[in-house]
Amino acid sequence: MAPMGIRLSPLGMAVFCLLGLGVLYHLYSGFLAGRFAFFMLSEPAAAGGPESPRGSVDRRELLAVSVLAAVRGGEEVKRVREGNVLNAKAKGKTREGAEEQLTSGDLLSNRRMFYLLKAAFPAVQINSEERVDTADQETVSWDRSIPEEIKQIIQPKEVPAESVTVWIDPLDATQEYTEDLRQYVTTMVCVAVNGKPVIGVIHKPFSSYTAWAMVDGGSNVKARSSYNEKTPRIIVSRSHAGKVEQVARQTFGNKTVIIPAGGAGYKVLALLDVNEKNQEEADVYIHVTYIKKWDICAGNAVLRALGGHMTTLTGEEISYTGSDGNEGGLIASINMNHKALIEKLPDLEKTSHK
């Protein structure tokens, strides 16, 4: 109730309320507008890091973080081997009956590589040789910096995130790793777009050498210029040398050289111009049995970028979608008549199923 003698006018009260609302609007309108602008500008960044609001990713950024992941994984591989804390154990048998080894180097490299790539590109599918333990998750960030070497060669190009599959091999040549045959060991990352390998990174942890290439983009490695197609040097898995040697020499002649080696990454590098004292040179890479796609995707991408080929033994292109295995063996070459090589080795496709 108003004091005695004072009567409140309804019109005056209305004017007073309107004036109060005006003052409040003046005070808070700028603040609210600023908060709205901040929300609108911040929304895309919170939604997914390097992925754009349209759901695409930049291939140059994918290459940069793939190189970083291979190197970081390699650091773990090297640290474990030099500390002699492998903790090696059998994780199963291959189709040929050989025991597959698993070491601390495999697991720690996998953890470092997977979570770096996942943090950088959370919407992209990542397939890795080793199982990812969510209880052992590692927080890894990427500052999105791109090395000058990549900037000078590769131009930005966006692709839909849903079309991308990343294949990780955190430690290629584990058997040789346990035997301390360090020259064969690599860490690898491959990026496939719609099943086709377009980015490949092969890193040698014990010499710090890294080869990378992008299809229709560029590379930091070249193919060798000297090849002998009549009597090629054929690089094969150590366990397959006997299977390949007889057929290869019947086909190309007794002067054909068979080079047993470990690791798919090492074998692909043998086809390239790699300035490494412990890197052998070969003209053709042949594998005659089932092989996992994370073993070969990076090498396939590098060869494709340089004009080379990696196919099944019957000449079919290998798709990097669906299952994680390639059933038809493989033959890889560069600066050679790939089709003629396949036609010369018809019996190897049958060998691959034995």
Side-chain angles (χ1 to χ4, degrees), residues 246-268:
Q246 184 177 0
V247 175
R249 288 188 172 165
Q250 285 175 353
T251 304
F252 297 107
N254 290 330
K255 292 184 179 180
T256 302
V257 177
I258 303 298
I259 305 171
Y266 178 89
K267 297 184 189 83
V268 169

Side-chain angles (χ1 to χ4, degrees), residues 87-353:
N87 297 319
K89 60 182 179 181
K91 68 175 182 179
K93 290 184 180 293
T94 67
R95 289 190 179 184
E96 299 168 280
E99 283 194 346
E100 285 191 281
Q101 296 290 310
L102 179 68
T103 70
S104 296
D106 295 87
L107 297 175
L108 293 172
S109 174
N110 182 69
R111 184 178 70 175
R112 179 66 61 87
M113 294 172 72
F114 178 87
Y115 285 115
L116 174 58
L117 288 160
K118 197 64 179 175
F121 295 99
V124 167
Q125 179 180 339
I126 301 175
N127 296 335
S128 177
E129 179 173 8
E130 307 303 338
R131 186 175 63 85
V132 178
D133 188 352
T134 54
D136 196 27
Q137 182 171 344
E138 181 173 350
T139 302
V140 187
S141 61
W142 177 49
D143 62 8
R144 298 184 67 180
S145 63
I146 298 175
E148 285 300 320
E149 180 187 42
I150 293 177
K151 278 185 179 180
Q152 292 172 7
I153 299 174
I154 307 295
Q155 296 300 314
K157 182 178 179 180
E158 290 193 349
V159 295
E162 67 270 16
S163 69
V164 175
T165 305
V166 178
W167 295 84
I168 301 174
D169 194 341
L171 200 170
D172 190 39
T174 299
Q175 180 61 45
E176 287 73 18
Y177 182 66
T178 62
E179 298 172 20
D180 208 15
L181 299 173
R182 304 183 182 194
Q183 71 271 24
Y184 296 129
V185 176
T186 61
T187 57
M188 296 187 286
V189 180
C190 175
V191 176
V193 177
N194 295 320
K196 295 186 176 183
V198 297
I199 293 172
V201 180
I202 305 175
H203 175 68
K204 299 182 78 171
F206 297 102
S207 65
S208 299
Y209 175 81
T210 306
W212 56 259
M214 178 188 290
V215 175
D216 298 326
S219 69
N220 72 339
V221 65
K222 297 179 181 179
R224 289 188 297 107
S225 56
S226 60
Y227 295 89
N228 190 336
E229 198 161 342
K230 292 183 178 179
T231 56
R233 291 166 293 179
I234 301 177
I235 194 164
V236 299
S237 295
R238 296 161 71 204
S239 59
H240 296 169
K243 291 183 179 181
V244 177
E245 184 172 6
Q246 184 177 0
V247 175
R249 288 188 172 165
Q250 285 175 353
T251 304
F252 297 107
N254 290 330
K255 292 184 179 180
T256 302
V257 177
I258 303 298
I259 305 171
Y266 178 89
K267 297 184 189 83
V268 169
L269 291 178
L271 306 181
L272 308 177
D273 185 9
V274 176
N275 186 21
E276 288 272 290
K277 64 180 181 179
N278 290 325
Q279 178 65 59
E280 295 167 282
E281 295 182 353
D283 303 313
V284 181
Y285 165 28
I286 292 175
H287 187 87
V288 296
T289 60
Y290 173 88
I291 191 168
K292 292 296 183 69
K293 291 178 181 177
W294 41 67
D295 289 315
I296 59 176
C297 187
N300 198 339
V302 171
L303 289 173
R304 286 187 71 227
L306 298 175
H309 301 274
M310 179 185 288
T311 65
T312 66
L313 293 170
T314 56
E316 296 177 1
E317 296 294 332
I318 301 167
S319 175
Y320 293 90
T321 57
S323 69
D324 59 14
N326 172 51
E327 296 282 354
L330 71 84
I331 179 168
S333 69
I334 189 167
N335 289 344
M336 297 183 75
N337 188 332
H338 192 77
K339 184 178 180 181
L341 287 170
I342 293 168
E343 291 172 350
K344 286 180 179 180
L345 297 169
D347 293 333
L348 285 179
E349 197 277 331
K350 295 178 183 178
T351 307
S352 70
H353 298 293

Side-chain angles (χ1 to χ4, degrees), residues 61-71 117 166 189-191 199 201:
E61 289 189 341
L62 279 167
L63 171 60
V65 76
S66 294
V67 170
L68 181 61
V71 171
L117 288 160
V166 178
V189 180
C190 175
V191 176
I199 293 172
V201 180

